[in-house]
Amino acid sequence: MAKTTTGAALGLGLAIVALATACDPPPPSTAPLDLPSTSAPEAAAGSDADSADGLGSGPGGEGPPPPPAGAFLAQMTPEQTAQLTQLGVEVVVPGQVPPAFSVAEMRVSQSDPAPSYLVVYQDEADQCFAMEFAAEGFGDLPATENRLSIKPPLFGDQSYGLNYGPFVDADLSAQAPQANLFTDWMIGSSGAYRLVGAAYIGDLFDQLRSCTDISPEAAVALAESLTVLSTDPMGAPVDGP
């Protein structure tokens, strides 16, 4: 009889422990979030800096963690966005930058009355393209052997083109025999904008001389996705330059 009583008590105790365990809330998951991948080193560095400064919060912080770098419009960090929008002009960037590309170089000039900027993108395959703005000093561009029509909705019904390949002019082609890739200057209220390729970028940045061009089709898609950069990098694109 003593053994039976002891066994019943032990069984009842185990049942109580099991019931209490079942009622406890589950521990927080430690599995990583399924976020979009990005290869943007500058954007990732910006996120790390925010966390170090207490601006980005993880578990136990005072707010949600920052969004993934690839979610930012034109793959730009808030700091880069602020640097450009402080120019006081309509900042136009591609609205659909492939996630494999990140900002490799950025030049911003506050010169009055002719501010300008150049934003260079590069991917791990060493392909490059850039977005350039000039408030003044732009003009007609030399013709190339190939040309595709582009119709950026941002610039309304104006007719523009993507120029690529060697220059048509024999003297220019002899001086610069490499292939070219650039759009016409697209005219907005603040000045003119264009997409440029690897040859132009390599002339400006020694460390990017090995860059190669994206395909003409990719360049057309980027040009036709142009949008105005908002002061909120996660904000909706703005219509009209």
Side-chain angles (χ1 to χ4, degrees), residues 89-93 117 131 133 152-158 160 186-193 226-229 237-241:
V89 300
E90 297 282 6
V91 177
V92 172
V93 293
Y117 66 79
M131 193 68 203
F133 163 78
L154 187 68
F155 294 92
D157 297 330
Q158 300 179 69
Y160 296 109
M186 293 167 275
I187 310 302
S189 59
S190 295
Y193 310 82
L226 292 177
T227 187
V228 175
L229 186 65
V238 179
D239 294 330

Side-chain angles (χ1 to χ4, degrees), residues 216-236:
E217 293 76 17
V220 168
L222 285 165
E224 293 186 343
S225 77
L226 292 177
T227 187
V228 175
L229 186 65
S230 168
T231 53
D232 175 5
M234 296 292 290

Side-chain angles (χ1 to χ4, degrees), residues 65-137:
F72 293 135
L73 180 61
Q75 304 285 46
M76 288 186 181
T77 64
E79 292 79 11
Q80 291 167 337
T81 297
Q83 187 178 356
L84 288 168
T85 54
Q86 285 171 2
L87 282 173
V89 300
E90 297 282 6
V91 177
V92 172
V93 293
Q96 298 177 5
V97 177
F101 284 86
S102 61
V103 177
E105 292 287 346
M106 193 166 77
R107 287 185 177 178
V108 179
S109 173
Q110 293 273 8
S111 62
D112 186 24
S116 62
Y117 66 79
L118 179 78
V119 181
V120 181
Y121 293 87
Q122 181 183 26
D123 69 0
E124 292 181 352
D126 210 17
Q127 294 185 107
C128 292
F129 67 90
M131 193 68 203
E132 184 177 27
F133 163 78
E136 60 180 45

